[in-house]
Amino acid sequence: MQKYSIFNLVKNAFSGHQNWDLAWKDPTPKKEYEVVIIGGGGHGLATAYYLAKEHNITNVAIIEKGWIGGGNVGRNTTIIRSNYMHDDNGLFSEFGMDLWRKMSQDLNYNVMFSPRGIINLAHSDAQMNVYARRGNSMRLNGIDAELLNREQVKEIIPMADFSENVRFPIFGGLMQPSAGTARHDAVAWGYARQADSMGVDIIQNCEVTGFDINNGKINGVRTSRGDIKVKKIGLCVAGSTNILAEKLNMTLPIETHLLQACVSEPVKPVLDRVVTFGAGHFYISQSDKGEMVMGGDLDGYNSYAQRGNLPTLQHVLTEGIAMMPFLSKLKMLRTWGGIMDMSMDGSPIIDKTHIDGLYLNCGWCYGGFKATPASGWTFAHTIAQDRVHKLNAGYSLNRFNTGHLLDEKGLGTKTWIS
Amino acid sequence: MLYIKCPHCGMRPQTEFSYGGDATVKRPELNKEISDHEWDNFVYNRKSLRGKHLELWQHISGCRQWIKVERDTATHEIFKTFKADEDVA
């Protein structure tokens, strides 16, 4: 593989950048693989990468119905954080933060990781208490957290509404200084390029049509580009999980819902943090191009449409304007939607299944992007060793049966309300 | 904007309604011994179909009745609406 470096950049400049290698190949599927990963999103690519890097398993195919970067890995708001209260969520995400910090060097690809900090705003005394508790839990797990009062928040984000007679006054906030953002496409491309260079076949435009299961064991997968013999399959398809589960005769604690995001026209640097509104569901950051990147609530009904509806967008942006009134002056540049695998307790599932050789990775709700490296790392471990790692032990499928739910927000099973 | 025909009030915008999830989920019978698996299926497990989906909505800013809506989850087309106690053919 051609290394990306300043020397190679200069060298290739002399030939007008016409001689760069393709970042990944376009192979024809082989008849047999050791492991097949279904879903070429961030998590699937990361899983294949860590299978090769950590477990020396390189006879791997990634099967993707669409194209690399076309799903949720290219549709998110690029936020990376580990500000969770529960141990299972906090330790898993913090392990991921370490991988994020090393990612650009590890992948030889600039993912533009920017640890600019995230601030969750509080709008009441009660909310400050809740944040203090969460911040303490985070610190006990070795995650950085700072509780800010109103004045401290005002110093960091003076453009927010600090006037006296607003409906949701800012009382303070909880900040995780090491949180931030990264370039989402670069994450997908970086993982794809490295996985490819280690021998993984990335097969795009290839739809899974069925599974070959014998005596409760995986024997193969049927695709639109031919049957493939394989003993281990990792399912990593986010919003399409239920479609494949149906082919496997499984019903899962997952519903597929639509989540929108949007960016404004680019403006000069104004916001150097990620900020979330505490009296609703709205989050905002500013991209390197100057666009304000915003998102919030689900559209609120089961959907596979990958495109949103205006009432939700209006609702979300109303919250944004309540928090930062200057946003009302901006023109909207783009809006888009992605389909989320909403789990019944708001936490993901990375586990084995009752079918031998079938491994499940789903339920990422709003937080799939930031989990990309940790999800890939633990899923690769689970597949390679045929047992879960302690980091994803809490993300079991049967926790809904045993009652060990991981309901970070205490929202219950109405996935569309959160 | 979705437009939903409330069987009681007529065609109304989606902003008058609140969603209530899969309408085919049935609570296990009362006073009957049921397995954990059946309970799981009722509380947590969902088919989340792509295509025709029968779901509950409440006309929260209108007549406040619960209704059933048959809607396509891929195209958002609404085929038919029913009263809550109406049988779906």
Side-chain angles (χ1 to χ4, degrees):
Chain A
M1 187 187 63
Q2 216 170 10
K3 196 170 154 56
Y4 290 163
S5 66
I6 183 75
F7 304 108
N8 266 326
L9 190 66
V10 171
K11 196 177 113 193
N12 276 278
F14 288 111
S15 51
H17 295 294
Q18 296 300 304
N19 296 323
W20 287 103
D21 290 346
L22 285 178
W24 59 87
K25 298 177 279 294
D26 183 20
T28 317
K30 291 191 282 190
K31 291 278 171 244
E32 190 170 355
Y33 288 95
E34 192 176 343
V35 178
V36 165
I37 305 293
I38 303 175
H43 292 218
L45 294 164
T47 304
Y49 170 69
Y50 291 114
L51 273 175
K53 185 183 173 223
E54 305 286 339
H55 306 278
N56 261 333
I57 300 175
T58 55
N59 187 14
V60 176
I62 296 172
I63 296 178
E64 165 59 43
K65 184 184 170 192
W67 67 96
I68 298 302
N72 291 346
V73 73
R75 291 167 187 265
N76 55 75
T77 46
T78 79
I79 298 164
I80 292 159
R81 58 187 176 84
S82 59
N83 53 358
Y84 287 100
M85 189 177 78
H86 287 307
D87 292 350
D88 286 309
N89 287 329
L91 294 171
F92 176 88
S93 304
E94 187 56 17
F95 175 77
M97 293 302 293
D98 258 349
L99 295 175
W100 278 113
R101 287 187 268 270
K102 299 177 207 145
M103 191 181 288
S104 290
Q105 285 73 28
D106 190 27
L107 297 180
N108 177 230
Y109 207 107
N110 185 3
V111 299
M112 297 161 74
F113 176 55
S114 160
R116 58 184 68 185
I118 186 169
I119 301 172
N120 300 134
L121 293 181
H123 308 278
S124 66
D125 282 327
Q127 205 167 12
M128 284 298 283
N129 289 341
V130 171
Y131 282 175
R133 182 183 176 214
R134 173 146 63 98
N136 285 334
S137 298
M138 287 165 62
R139 285 181 166 218
L140 287 171
N141 281 332
I143 304 164
D144 55 327
E146 284 173 31
L147 195 64
L148 307 174
N149 62 28
R150 181 178 162 92
E151 290 312 309
Q152 289 169 307
V153 174
K154 194 172 179 179
E155 218 159 90
I156 300 171
I157 48 165
M159 78 297 284
D161 195 345
F162 287 92
S163 48
E164 292 299 324
N165 54 355
V166 291
R167 173 66 184 85
F168 299 109
I170 294 168
F171 275 57
L174 182 65
M175 178 159 79
Q176 185 191 2
S178 67
T181 60
R183 173 85 200 280
H184 53 192
D185 303 309
V187 174
W189 299 335
Y191 273 123
R193 174 169 162 267
Q194 282 293 347
D196 175 89
S197 80
M198 289 189 282
V200 173
D201 280 357
I202 298 174
I203 302 159
Q204 302 176 76
N205 302 309
C206 180
E207 185 178 357
V208 168
T209 54
F211 296 88
D212 185 7
I213 299 166
N214 207 342
N215 280 333
K217 280 186 184 166
I218 287 285
N219 256 341
V221 58
R222 290 192 282 277
T223 80
S224 57
R225 294 176 67 177
D227 295 354
I228 296 170
K229 269 181 76 175
V230 67
K231 297 268 183 247
K232 287 182 172 184
I233 293 179
L235 211 62
C236 229
V237 294
S240 301
T241 301
N242 287 297
I243 298 174
L244 289 183
E246 199 188 348
K247 295 186 200 297
L248 291 157
N249 283 324
M250 291 167 79
T251 44
L252 296 171
I254 301 280
E255 267 183 4
T256 296
H257 284 269
L258 179 58
L259 181 62
Q260 293 191 71
C262 56
V263 294
S264 75
E265 60 184 324
V267 289
K268 286 186 177 177
V270 56
L271 180 64
D272 57 359
R273 313 280 166 152
V274 181
V275 182
T276 74
F277 184 55
H281 200 173
F282 173 82
Y283 41 89
I284 186 166
S285 62
Q286 189 170 21
S287 76
D288 293 338
K289 287 183 281 184
E291 304 151 330
M292 307 307 291
V293 185
M294 300 170 279
D297 281 312
L298 296 171
D299 269 36
Y301 41 80
N302 290 46
S303 175
Y304 287 88
Q306 285 190 316
R307 65 177 184 281
N309 215 334
L310 284 175
T312 304
L313 208 53
Q314 185 177 31
H315 170 74
V316 167
L317 292 172
T318 304
E319 295 174 35
I321 290 166
M323 184 173 93
M324 293 181 177
F326 81 96
L327 294 174
S328 69
K329 306 285 182 211
L330 298 183
K331 291 186 181 69
M332 194 63 73
L333 194 65
R334 295 192 306 277
T335 80
W336 65 93
I339 52 171
M340 307 295 117
D341 37 339
M342 302 300 294
S343 72
M344 291 289 159
D345 63 356
S347 295
I349 296 161
I350 308 177
D351 202 358
K352 298 163 65 170
T353 64
H354 71 282
I355 301 169
D356 207 11
L358 181 78
Y359 304 85
L360 190 62
N361 181 334
C362 62
W364 291 99
C365 302
Y366 301 93
F369 177 68
K370 63 145 198 304
T372 304
S375 163
W377 196 94
T378 53
F379 198 38
H381 180 279
T382 305
I383 294 171
Q385 313 278 330
D386 194 38
R387 63 187 162 86
V388 298
H389 189 271
K390 68 175 185 209
L391 283 169
N392 63 312
Y395 292 160
S396 68
L397 178 56
N398 79 345
R399 69 178 185 268
F400 298 93
N401 191 280
T402 60
H404 294 86
L405 299 182
L406 266 174
D407 198 340
E408 188 80 22
K409 290 182 179 170
L411 285 165
T413 59
K414 301 287 181 282
T415 59
W416 57 88
I417 291 174
S418 46
Chain B
M1 180 82 80
L2 300 179
Y3 287 91
I4 301 171
K5 190 176 170 189
C6 172
H8 308 280
C9 313
M11 200 63 93
R12 299 295 177 92
Q14 88 183 66
T15 45
E16 289 188 13
F17 295 84
S18 146
Y19 186 63
D22 189 337
T24 63
V25 175
K26 286 241 162 32
R27 192 187 196 285
E29 248 177 79
L30 277 178
N31 305 322
K32 199 186 123 198
E33 195 61 35
I34 56 157
S35 66
D36 283 357
H37 183 64
E38 284 174 273
W39 190 247
D40 262 10
N41 279 341
F42 166 61
V43 181
Y44 299 115
N45 294 337
R46 296 290 177 267
K47 289 210 172 82
S48 194
L49 300 172
R50 186 181 195 277
K52 259 188 194 177
H53 188 243
L54 190 71
E55 54 204 22
L56 293 168
W57 288 76
Q58 190 187 9
H59 196 186
I60 198 139
S61 304
C63 62
R64 300 192 64 80
Q65 294 292 312
W66 283 93
I67 62 168
K68 287 189 270 198
V69 176
E70 193 181 50
R71 187 181 59 92
D72 193 307
T73 57
T75 64
H76 296 172
E77 182 182 358
I78 292 171
F79 303 104
K80 222 174 162 191
T81 56
F82 308 85
K83 292 177 184 168
D85 59 353
E86 210 174 323
D87 278 335
V88 178

